[in-house]
Amino acid sequence: MLKFVDVPRGMPEKRAADARRDDFGEIYREFAAAKAEEQASRCSQCGVPYCQQHCPLHNNIPDWLKLVAEDRLEEAYQVSQATNTFPEICGRICPQDRLCEGNCVIEQSGHGTVTIGAVEKYITDTAWEKGWVKPGKPIKERPESVGVIGAGPGGLAAADALRRRGFQVTVYDRYDRSGGLMIYGIPGFKLEKHVVTRRNGQLEAAGVKFVLNCTVGKDRTFEEIRSAHDAVLIATGVYKSRDLGGPGAGLPGIKKALDYLTASNRHGFGDNVPEYTSGELNAQGKNVVVIGGGDTAMDCVRTAIRQGAKSVKCLYRRDRANMPGSQREVANAEEEGVEFVWLAAPKGFVANETDDHVAGVRVAKMRLGAPDVTGRQTPEEIEGADYTEPADLVIKALGFDPEELPTLWGCEDLPVTRWGTVRTDHRTHMTALEGVYAVGDIVRGASLVVWAIRDGREAADAIAAKFDDAARVMAAE
């Protein structure tokens, strides 16, 4: 039942607002609990849990749904976190429509999916509120030291798993805050930043050391880090933005997606961001065109809406069915006022005659032709169908490639594939360099947070197993 607070007459406005907000929070918690139990009770406990099979972490979803339905939330949290280092993060940003929820038996039968992600978020948010989440301090310390390069989800998941086993863990990262793209790449309306920073606090409380503002190859060499530890895990992610050519590609007002999102997130933290304040990386009052069709493009268009853009359009060279981003994100963006222009590819950019700033995107209309080697239909340009899309700010969200780590780090022996990703043994995540492992996007290419978490946990298992095996051999001798 909804309750309304009776604010005493004469109460200061700030206190009155706080009272209303506190009461709303209580109402919301009651509503969220009821919805979570209702959704959890819909789980059919099917004989073949496709939701679990299609989760990269193979989370025991049916069991924790059953526990939620029975109001056994602390047990549900224990089951949830047993396989997932960051369940509250995955509950918020995993594309459940492509993974667990999209393969729910109830969804397949046409009765609407169990909202697994929302229940997962509710479980862990409750666990934090109730104090059930504890730092992963080890029972026994180990002498071995592991250096983790990269404080994104893969590196942090590995750091957590290794520290729980007693390893001495140091995480190195180029940024001033730990979290990688979870901090500076994903907007706060999808992943509140305190959700990430409190996990960082837990890792520090457990004994993980962080060396921030540290660019490998500049502030410390790779060999220095390698010589300081018994093992090294590379989890740098992929940050090299794909670019666009064509006439006018270098005009002012054409920006990379990561630069745009980072500026927005830094502004949200309260940092001084001159490029945001000046309007260079701020969409307020502008006609914005985002080029791309992945999840990063969706983050950009929805951020632009929240910044008060005059209009926001997303250009994608294929149709909606072939879009790589989450269909749920596309629907959310449309509801918020984003216009999608399908089968449209940029050919160049038009400058403003007065100040040489970008004023528009020259667009080629496309059609889908024969399938390529992957089975996807190849976009083909329709001759003579070009037009100009007005734009004051153009954001390129075309995806990311790996940086050239062997060159940047002065480590030519580090093996990479022809795509520039680090080559590893798919079972152990170890590279050809002894004691050097790699996980996440720097191995897979741009992928999902949940896959990075899985890789990090698996690599931690492999590192621990290697040292345990070595210890057994020494003991036998």
Side-chain angles (χ1 to χ4, degrees):
M1 179 180 295
L2 294 180
K3 298 181 294 182
F4 296 90
V5 64
D6 182 15
V7 178
R9 184 173 298 175
M11 175 183 283
E13 183 56 34
K14 182 179 184 302
R15 285 182 56 202
D18 288 343
R20 295 188 190 98
R21 185 161 50 251
D22 290 345
D23 188 65
F24 174 78
E26 182 181 345
I27 294 168
Y28 178 78
R29 282 191 294 274
E30 291 177 3
F31 174 76
K35 291 296 292 183
E37 290 181 16
E38 173 193 329
Q39 283 294 316
S41 66
R42 295 180 65 232
C43 177
S44 64
Q45 294 288 314
C46 52
V48 183
Y50 292 109
C51 58
Q52 185 173 0
Q53 291 180 9
H54 286 84
C55 170
L57 290 166
H58 300 306
N59 286 327
N60 197 346
I61 297 168
D63 279 2
W64 53 252
L65 286 175
K66 182 175 186 293
L67 290 167
V68 171
E70 295 172 355
D71 197 26
R72 297 159 63 185
L73 285 183
E74 186 169 4
E75 294 171 78
Y77 168 70
Q78 295 301 332
V79 173
S80 173
Q81 65 88 41
T83 53
N84 189 351
T85 312
F86 310 119
E88 72 278 22
I89 291 173
C90 289
R92 285 168 163 81
I93 64 173
C94 263
Q96 289 94 0
D97 56 324
R98 305 202 308 252
L99 299 172
C100 55
E101 293 181 13
N103 292 278
C104 171
V105 169
I106 296 176
E107 168 73 4
Q108 298 299 319
S109 64
H111 295 288
T113 185
V114 176
T115 56
I116 295 168
V119 177
E120 182 178 38
K121 173 183 177 294
Y122 169 72
I123 292 170
T124 319
D125 285 355
T126 302
W128 281 98
E129 182 183 326
K130 300 291 186 182
W132 302 335
V133 186
K134 305 294 184 185
K137 294 181 178 179
I139 297 173
K140 182 180 179 181
E141 296 287 349
R142 300 180 61 138
E144 298 94 347
S145 170
V146 180
V148 178
I149 303 175
L156 295 182
D160 176 77
L162 289 164
R163 186 65 196 126
R164 289 174 186 272
R165 290 176 168 89
F167 285 89
Q168 310 309 307
V169 181
T170 301
V171 178
Y172 302 87
D173 197 82
R174 71 179 80 183
Y175 291 112
D176 57 342
R177 293 181 177 94
S178 173
L181 289 179
M182 296 187 297
I183 283 288
Y184 287 134
I186 299 173
F189 60 83
K190 283 177 60 178
L191 177 58
E192 308 94 315
K193 300 311 168 186
H194 78 273
V195 173
V196 182
T197 57
R198 69 185 178 189
R199 275 292 179 185
N200 295 337
Q202 288 263 316
L203 289 169
E204 287 185 298
V208 174
K209 297 176 183 177
F210 288 89
V211 180
L212 302 177
N213 292 308
C214 178
T215 300
V216 179
K218 178 183 175 184
D219 300 306
R220 297 197 190 190
T221 68
F222 179 65
E223 284 306 317
E224 283 177 333
I225 293 175
R226 195 176 174 192
S227 63
H229 301 283
D230 298 296
V232 172
L233 177 74
I234 301 169
T236 55
V238 290
Y239 283 86
K240 183 180 177 182
S241 298
R242 293 175 186 158
D243 215 341
L244 273 175
L251 288 173
I254 303 174
K255 301 297 179 182
K256 297 176 181 178
L258 189 55
D259 292 345
Y260 173 69
L261 293 171
T262 299
S264 178
N265 281 312
R266 283 195 177 279
H267 176 74
F269 273 113
D271 295 352
N272 179 29
V273 188
E275 298 89 348
Y276 184 94
T277 305
S278 69
E280 182 182 345
L281 291 172
N282 185 344
Q284 185 175 10
K286 296 178 180 177
N287 293 310
V288 178
V289 171
V290 176
I291 302 170
D295 291 336
T296 300
M298 298 306 97
D299 291 343
C300 291
V301 295
R302 298 184 69 196
T303 296
I305 287 288
R306 283 158 176 78
Q307 289 177 351
K310 183 178 179 181
S311 69
V312 181
K313 294 185 179 182
C314 181
L315 305 185
Y316 182 56
R317 60 181 183 157
R318 290 186 168 93
D319 59 9
R320 183 176 191 138
N322 285 279
M323 197 173 195
S326 167
Q327 290 296 323
R328 182 179 294 175
E329 283 285 291
V330 174
N332 289 339
E334 285 179 324
E335 289 175 0
E336 293 167 1
V338 175
E339 180 183 342
F340 286 85
V341 185
W342 309 110
L343 295 166
K347 291 187 69 174
F349 303 90
V350 179
N352 191 317
E353 294 181 1
T354 57
D355 59 6
D356 212 31
H357 190 276
V358 70
V361 182
R362 194 64 187 160
V363 178
K365 290 188 176 181
M366 312 293 285
R367 60 171 167 251
L368 295 180
D372 59 17
V373 293
T374 67
R376 295 180 78 193
Q377 288 178 278
T378 304
E380 300 174 346
E381 182 178 344
I382 301 174
E383 295 294 335
D386 299 358
Y387 71 99
T388 299
E389 191 72 68
D392 307 308
L393 174 62
V394 178
I395 302 171
K396 300 177 291 185
L398 304 166
F400 302 95
D401 290 322
E403 297 165 297
E404 298 174 5
L405 295 190
T407 302
L408 291 173
W409 292 0
C411 182
E412 297 300 331
D413 293 335
L414 181 66
V416 296
T417 68
R418 62 191 177 98
W419 299 281
T421 52
V422 175
R423 190 186 299 277
T424 64
D425 182 303
H426 70 276
R427 295 163 298 179
T428 64
H429 299 276
M430 192 165 82
T431 71
L433 299 181
E434 181 62 30
V436 178
Y437 299 75
V439 299
D441 289 2
I442 195 58
V443 176
R444 294 178 175 273
S447 187
L448 301 175
V449 165
V450 67
W451 279 111
I453 294 171
R454 172 174 166 167
D455 289 352
R457 291 170 67 97
E458 287 181 349
D461 290 342
I463 292 169
K466 186 175 178 61
F467 282 111
D468 289 344
D469 289 344
R472 280 192 288 269
V473 170
M474 291 182 63
E477 294 175 349

